[in-house]
Amino acid sequence: PHPLSSRFNSRPVAKRATNGDVPLTNYNADLWYGSIKVGTPPETYTVVFDTGSSDLCEFSQEFLPSDDCGFTCDGHKSYDPDSSSSAKDTGEPFLLTYASGQTAGEQYFDVGSVGGHKVNNQSVGAAYLYSPQFSEYDYPPDGLSGLAFREISEFEGSPLFETLSESGQLPESAMGFKLSTTPGDSKLLVGGTNTSLYRSDTLTYIPVTTQGYWEVELGSISRLGQEVDGSDDIPAIIDTGTTLVITSDSVAQSYYANISNATAHTEDGYTYWTIPCNMMNSSVPTFTLGDHSFTVSPQTFNLGPEDTNSTDCMVGIASSSEMDFTIVGDVFLQNVYAVFDYAQTRVLRVNRDGSPEPTFETEDFS
Ligand SMILES: *[C@@H]1O[C@H](CO)[C@@H](O)[C@H](O)[C@H]1NC(C)=O
Ligand SMILES: *[C@@H]1O[C@H](CO)[C@@H](O)[C@H](O)[C@H]1NC(C)=O
Ligand SMILES: *[C@@H]1O[C@H](CO)[C@@H](O)[C@H](O)[C@H]1NC(C)=O
Ligand SMILES: *[C@@H]1O[C@H](CO)[C@@H](O)[C@H](O)[C@H]1NC(C)=O
Ligand SMILES: *[C@@H]1O[C@H](CO)[C@@H](O)[C@H](O)[C@H]1NC(C)=O
Ligand SMILES: *[C@@H]1O[C@H](CO)[C@@H](O)[C@H](O)[C@H]1NC(C)=O
């Protein structure tokens, strides 16, 4: 080394401020994920930040008794509690079932951090079984971080964001999501909202009606200014971990009834819809939440041609016979800046760029 190098080395290094910024990676316009750290020494894992669930699950190679897991867990980084000096085994098993898959394992407590904010005693599920839906091809991140409320958690401890909030270190007890399919554009801000991504004079606050999920009242869904039958004042869950908007069969049928040649495809209890691709502009939904309406762009509503060369396109509102509420997922959330505010449990809406006719509206669910 150059003799002078030690001088530079011994210079105090400016401590990088913790600003809570977590870049998110988009996969296939399907899911968004970012990094967290868990354990001592800290290891980095990628997780989907899922406001529609409350548990932090890590896949763990430590618990790999089954052949199933041997196959489906390939490609995910594993959490090994034995290698973390701060891991504490609770001895409690868990089984979590999502719309998109299942995972089972054992609960631990460990230290962790997200966006530079540290938590000392976070419940972490070390999974010894992933269902095939969590295979690396369908699900590139390692795990999932549930950001709904502890009321719906299966775990003994609190969900990550509640643990963080209660630690008192966050400037604001809120998280701001910007989801986009443009590489480098998606981000989560832990502990506040990124004021450069929205216009503060356009905030809409939507109260959480039942604390569990981020559940709010959806005023209505409309298309071309016409309210869809049965879509008024229905409970809605604002869910970053679900790709589509999923509503009841009856609301979906009313929604598509007036779109020529809209076709229903039912599979595993879910009904997906295709419409002629050239009808996209006139087929987008407008969601009324609080005192504002948000129209989904044709780009995010369109999930692409049904098959190669097909002139029919899959679109972003699906339905399930089991649902009497609506899950408002990423097809919608890509059109807003969404703020989940634990302190005031509200939703707010903001414009991104300050132009009079915003192309990117912003919404805050808290
Ligand atoms: C807010 O977003 C801007 C634009 O993407 C970025 O440059 C900035 O670092 C972000 N700030 C925080 C605190 O995340
Ligand atoms: C961690 O949190 C759990 C659940 O809240 C609690 O039972 C346990 O005592 C805590 N452990 C420590 C070391 O704080
Ligand atoms: C569907 O068409 C009927 C009859 O033209 C009309 O009354 C209704 O408002 C339309 N609904 C939507 C959601 O466009
Ligand atoms: C609907 O389907 C009919 C019959 O296949 C076709 O003639 C018509 O052009 C289609 N309409 C649209 C809007 O695609
Ligand atoms: C949809 O709207 C865009 C932007 O206004 C326009 O460029 C495009 O031609 C429209 N597509 C159809 C099929 O009308
Ligand atoms: C799609 O269209 C292209 C060009 O017309 C053709 O070469 C190809 O075989 C078609 N693919 C299918 C699956 O029909």
Side-chain angles (χ1 to χ4, degrees):
H2 190 278
L4 285 175
S5 66
S6 62
R7 284 214 219 164
F8 294 101
N9 287 345
S10 63
R11 251 203 316 217
V13 176
K15 192 165 174 286
R16 199 166 150 255
T18 292
N19 69 7
D21 194 21
V22 183
L24 299 179
T25 302
N26 169 243
Y27 175 66
N28 263 353
D30 203 18
L31 52 85
W32 280 259
Y33 58 93
S35 294
I36 61 167
K37 289 185 177 152
V38 179
T40 309
E43 292 283 344
T44 301
Y45 303 91
T46 52
V47 292
V48 166
F49 293 99
D50 179 12
T51 62
S53 70
S54 283
D55 299 300
L56 176 62
C57 319
E58 289 289 340
F59 172 72
S60 172
Q61 207 146 16
E62 177 97 341
F63 304 90
L64 263 183
S66 79
D67 294 338
D68 273 1
C69 202
F71 176 72
T72 63
C73 299
D74 279 357
H76 294 304
K77 179 171 174 179
S78 57
Y79 166 64
D80 176 6
D82 281 349
S83 309
S84 170
S85 61
S86 45
K88 290 182 217 82
D89 191 354
T90 67
E92 291 291 320
F94 71 86
L95 171 66
L96 301 171
T97 302
Y98 301 93
S100 57
Q102 253 190 352
T103 171
E106 189 154 306
Q107 298 175 39
Y108 285 79
F109 283 99
D110 210 334
V111 303
S113 68
V114 57
H117 299 296
K118 293 197 171 100
V119 285
N120 287 325
N121 187 29
Q122 177 57 44
S123 57
V124 179
Y128 52 69
L129 184 68
Y130 267 17
S131 68
Q133 295 90 335
F134 287 118
S135 85
E136 62 173 322
Y137 306 106
D138 291 332
Y139 193 88
D142 303 314
L144 179 146
S145 174
L147 299 173
F149 298 91
R150 72 173 70 197
E151 282 81 349
I152 59 165
S153 174
E154 299 288 323
F155 282 13
E156 290 185 353
S158 60
L160 179 61
F161 198 82
E162 281 190 55
T163 316
L164 264 176
S165 292
E166 282 159 13
S167 73
Q169 65 186 297
L170 299 182
E172 252 185 282
S173 205
M175 299 174 290
F177 277 88
K178 182 186 171 191
L179 302 181
S180 163
T181 52
T182 305
D185 249 14
S186 300
K187 48 181 74 191
L188 163 64
L189 187 65
V190 176
T193 63
N194 187 333
T195 50
S196 68
L197 298 179
Y198 66 88
R199 242 179 57 189
S200 58
D201 61 350
T202 58
L203 302 177
T204 293
Y205 298 83
I206 305 166
V208 168
T209 48
T210 307
Q211 195 164 305
Y213 295 103
W214 289 91
E215 184 176 330
V216 300
E217 190 176 273
L218 175 58
S220 68
I221 305 175
S222 58
R223 187 177 76 85
L224 299 177
Q226 299 290 318
E227 190 171 308
V228 175
D229 280 351
S231 74
D232 53 321
D233 300 340
I234 48 178
I237 288 164
I238 311 302
D239 184 0
T240 56
T242 294
T243 309
L244 304 183
V245 171
I246 305 175
T247 189
S248 65
D249 282 344
S250 65
V251 168
Q253 276 153 15
S254 307
Y255 188 81
Y256 292 108
N258 288 9
I259 302 176
S260 312
N261 295 0
T263 310
H265 309 260
T266 300
E267 191 182 299
D268 298 335
Y270 288 93
T271 301
Y272 303 92
W273 294 77
T274 52
I275 64 167
C277 302
N278 62 9
M279 301 273 291
M280 202 57 65
N281 285 358
S282 59
S283 298
V284 294
T286 296
F287 292 83
T288 301
L289 283 158
D291 49 10
H292 285 276
S293 292
F294 308 92
T295 300
V296 171
S297 73
Q299 289 73 28
T300 55
F301 195 55
N302 185 354
L303 306 176
E306 189 186 5
D307 292 306
T308 319
N309 299 347
S310 172
T311 56
D312 283 340
C313 285
M314 294 265 301
V315 281
I317 297 181
S319 66
S320 162
S321 56
E322 282 169 23
M323 297 205 20
D324 53 6
F325 57 97
T326 297
I327 299 176
V328 178
D330 305 326
V331 156
F332 172 82
L333 291 170
Q334 286 176 69
N335 295 271
V336 298
Y337 186 79
V339 181
F340 297 81
D341 186 331
Y342 283 80
Q344 304 187 35
T345 44
R346 65 195 181 177
V347 182
L348 50 106
R349 175 249 197 188
V350 277
N351 293 337
R352 178 177 159 207
D353 55 8
S355 62
E357 287 299 327
T359 50
F360 189 90
E361 293 173 325
T362 330
E363 199 158 6
D364 183 355
F365 298 93
S366 33

